[in-house]
Amino acid sequence: MAAHTASPLAPDWLQVPEDGNALDPVIFSSGVSRHDDGQLAVQGIPASQLAADYGTPLLVVDEDDFRARARSFRDAFDAAFEDLCGGVDVYYAGKSFLVTPVARWIAEEGLCLDTASGGELAVALRAGVDPARIGLHGNNKSDGELRRALEVGVGRIVVDSLDELTRLAELAQEAGLTAPVMLRLTPGVHAHTHEFIATAHEDQKFGLSMADSSFTEGQDPDLSADAQRMDGPIPGKSPAAQAVAQALAAPSIELRGLHCHIGSQIFEADGFALAAERLLTFLAAIRQDHGVELEELDLGGGHGIAYTSADEPRAPEQIATALAAVVRAVCERLQMRCPRISIEPGRAISGPAGLSLYTVGVRKTVAVDHADGTFPRRYVAVDGGMSDNPRPVLYDADYTAVLASRTTEATPVLSRVVGKHCESGDIVVRDAYLPEDLQRGDLLAVPATGAYCHALSSNYNLLTRPAVVAVKDGVSRLIIRRETEDDLFARETE
Ligand SMILES: *Cc1c(COP(=O)(O)O)cnc(C)c1O
């Protein structure tokens, strides 16, 4: 293909592809390649075959790739932390993509599983995951969710507030059980892609602040001391310190350690490292104040992936090695034993393993005014959209797309892939160069849709949600069937 000039409408990061048929291995799962006939294939199965067998839109999950990514996190972190704390527990963040078979894959690959609701916990249990290897998260867990977690014996409940700590202690006591608790703290570190910001106070709903509180506002002086303790911090003492003291004093709570989660789509290790340093320092303070060495430290998830060729994520080995060096140095400085480390990758395991297949429908080129003149933008409408991938609408997320059902030498033109919903914001891929000869009926593949697409999908405009197909050892199988019209009516009562 000849070199083509970029459209002035394109964002700076978007390159005109030298070869529009190429499949960037950083974005696509390892099983994706061009078939002999030019089609995109997943483990040798051509896109048109998948579309014929299962219909479109379709989420295709490369199970071997998913499992390999799960193993690579486990192996890389185990290797880096082996001599520090005997290895690392990797909790797959189920919220990124959780269906029963996926929970089984996680257990089979030796990972633990994070859940964030009673529903996610139910899937983990249905899959037969050992409850001791399940964690339960959430900033507003119900008594029912906490009770169930206690009764089935989950390995850790990540407590998010003083209110929850009080309720959990009571529920455990009533049940005659001990609650294994990690306290979620906000270390004042927010990370995203290449930057992190460090502050003391955090303005967010999650976690217990590590910064000393100076407020008594919002507390009703008529409330009992007990009721105040539930939702208001004690002046001069951080909510985190208060929670530690309260947890250590409660006979029905077994305080296992501390937890933090500093953001999403993080490429560099330095944000994780700073959070680790702050939490290790806090652990040393707990040892000082209470004479207790807590055993576990969870550094959360958020490991970044490539959604487009502009993203350059680090390998798990790189993050693990950098983090281990910091943890080692801080533990030596504070003269403390390294706690057992855990991490919670979600998208980094499920994201790149998935790919969405769509069928091209209407194409339309509009004239767009720009500082340098008027330029064409081509809209390519597909048979899904924000109901199967709301991330572009929710987060301004970028994706890319390639022609999957054939190759072509046609000129790449700046295109916007949109869905079929009644929303002008219904964008699947904001900017991509797609071939000029794109036809109705062609298949488009959007890579890196394994995380937070199925999980966030909806029936908006009463579209039926796509099927999910897993491909393993070159064989495809349906793991979630496509929704039907009957499903749409299933909960109507009249
Ligand atoms: C969302 C979340 C994760 C996973 O985030 P990813 O970006 O998918 O890795 C891990 N831990 C917690 C507490 C989360 O909320």
Side-chain angles (χ1 to χ4, degrees):
M1 223 179 274
H4 300 284
T5 47
S7 164
L9 301 178
D12 291 341
W13 59 264
L14 184 67
Q15 306 288 315
V16 185
E18 272 171 41
D19 173 5
N21 301 314
L23 302 170
D24 184 345
V26 181
I27 314 174
F28 285 90
S29 79
S30 55
V32 170
S33 63
R34 286 277 172 197
H35 201 255
D36 293 343
D37 65 2
Q39 290 195 61
L40 179 148
V42 182
Q43 295 192 15
I45 308 173
S48 65
Q49 183 73 52
L50 291 164
D53 289 350
Y54 305 106
T56 61
L58 183 67
L59 178 60
V60 185
V61 180
D62 184 338
E63 181 179 339
D64 294 308
D65 183 86
F66 182 106
R67 287 175 180 267
R69 286 177 203 275
R71 280 195 299 275
S72 76
F73 265 95
R74 195 198 60 195
D75 293 347
F77 276 80
D78 262 348
F81 283 88
E82 173 81 71
D83 63 337
L84 262 172
C85 58
V88 167
D89 297 313
V90 180
Y91 282 76
Y92 168 65
K95 74 174 200 253
S96 68
F97 176 47
L98 191 64
V99 295
T100 306
V102 167
R104 289 199 195 103
W105 306 346
I106 285 300
E108 284 165 11
E109 298 304 336
L111 276 69
C112 302
L113 181 58
D114 254 339
T115 62
S117 71
E120 290 183 10
L121 176 58
V123 171
L125 296 171
R126 178 168 190 262
V129 177
D130 176 2
R133 297 175 68 78
I134 299 175
L136 179 65
H137 271 281
N139 71 305
N140 189 23
K141 304 177 196 75
S142 68
D143 287 356
E145 288 171 324
L146 290 174
R147 227 179 264 122
R148 185 167 191 198
L150 286 168
E151 281 161 8
V152 302
V154 304
R156 50 166 65 167
I157 298 174
V158 184
V159 167
D160 198 271
S161 62
L162 290 163
D163 167 302
E164 186 182 44
L165 187 59
T166 307
R167 277 190 301 129
L168 181 60
E170 284 167 9
L171 292 168
Q173 198 177 3
E174 278 166 25
L177 297 165
T178 306
V181 162
M182 301 282 284
L183 292 174
R184 176 164 179 174
L185 308 190
T186 48
V189 181
H190 289 274
H192 183 79
T193 313
H194 296 295
E195 294 112 46
F196 71 86
I197 50 169
T199 56
H201 297 279
E202 291 198 33
D203 189 4
Q204 60 150 319
K205 72 170 186 172
F206 290 112
L208 292 148
S209 175
M210 292 168 65
D212 284 352
S213 167
S214 49
F215 297 115
T216 49
E217 279 169 73
Q219 288 189 34
D220 182 343
D222 293 338
L223 283 179
S224 69
D226 240 23
Q228 288 204 20
R229 198 182 56 216
M230 270 165 41
D231 60 354
I234 294 170
K237 198 169 180 187
S238 72
Q242 206 178 314
V244 168
Q246 198 174 316
L248 289 173
S252 59
I253 299 282
E254 184 204 349
L255 182 58
R256 303 199 54 80
L258 305 179
H259 171 282
C260 68
H261 173 70
I262 60 167
S264 64
Q265 189 58 359
I266 304 166
F267 287 172
E268 314 291 345
D270 44 8
F272 292 118
L274 180 60
E277 181 171 3
R278 289 188 171 184
L279 288 188
L280 287 166
T281 305
F282 195 72
L283 283 174
I286 293 172
R287 181 183 58 181
Q288 170 88 24
D289 292 350
H290 300 280
V292 179
E293 286 191 34
L294 298 183
E295 302 204 339
E296 296 187 41
L297 177 59
D298 190 317
L299 297 173
H303 310 85
I305 64 168
Y307 287 102
T308 73
S309 294
D311 294 328
E312 292 170 1
R314 309 289 174 270
E317 289 76 13
Q318 266 177 290
I319 302 281
T321 312
L323 207 49
V326 169
V327 168
R328 182 187 305 276
V330 175
C331 286
E332 274 169 17
R333 176 160 57 76
L334 298 171
Q335 297 192 326
M336 64 192 287
R337 189 164 48 89
C338 177
R340 175 86 180 177
I341 301 290
S342 45
I343 56 165
E344 304 173 335
R347 83 187 61 217
I349 292 173
S350 56
L355 162 160
S356 298
L357 275 184
Y358 298 100
T359 301
V360 171
V362 168
R363 291 145 301 139
K364 184 186 286 182
T365 298
V366 302
V368 179
D369 294 331
H370 179 271
D372 301 335
T374 301
F375 300 92
R377 185 192 314 280
R378 178 188 249 188
Y379 280 81
V380 176
V382 295
D383 50 353
M386 63 189 285
S387 55
D388 60 78
N389 183 1
R391 291 192 68 257
V393 185
L394 279 176
Y395 311 119
D396 260 342
D398 284 312
Y399 284 88
T400 192
V402 297
L403 174 56
S405 40
R406 61 189 171 89
T407 53
T408 175
E409 298 304 313
T411 306
V413 295
L414 185 69
S415 305
R416 177 162 289 173
V417 181
V418 297
K420 59 180 287 164
H421 292 276
C422 303
E423 296 272 340
S424 50
D426 173 27
I427 290 168
V428 179
V429 179
R430 187 164 323 231
D431 299 288
Y433 286 97
L434 288 172
E436 193 165 36
D437 67 347
L438 206 61
Q439 300 293 324
R440 160 177 287 276
D442 277 334
L443 296 172
L444 279 187
V446 175
T449 56
Y452 305 108
C453 288
H454 174 79
L456 285 168
S457 64
S458 76
N459 288 120
Y460 183 43
N461 285 136
L462 295 191
L463 262 64
T464 51
R465 280 176 285 194
V468 183
V469 161
V471 184
K472 182 169 187 351
D473 300 329
V475 179
S476 71
R477 69 183 197 283
L478 192 64
I479 58 171
I480 299 281
R481 68 160 169 78
R482 183 173 305 284
E483 273 182 331
T484 63
E485 280 188 6
D486 283 343
D487 291 324
L488 295 179
F489 307 140
R491 293 185 306 134
E492 289 195 357
T493 59
E494 289 189 357

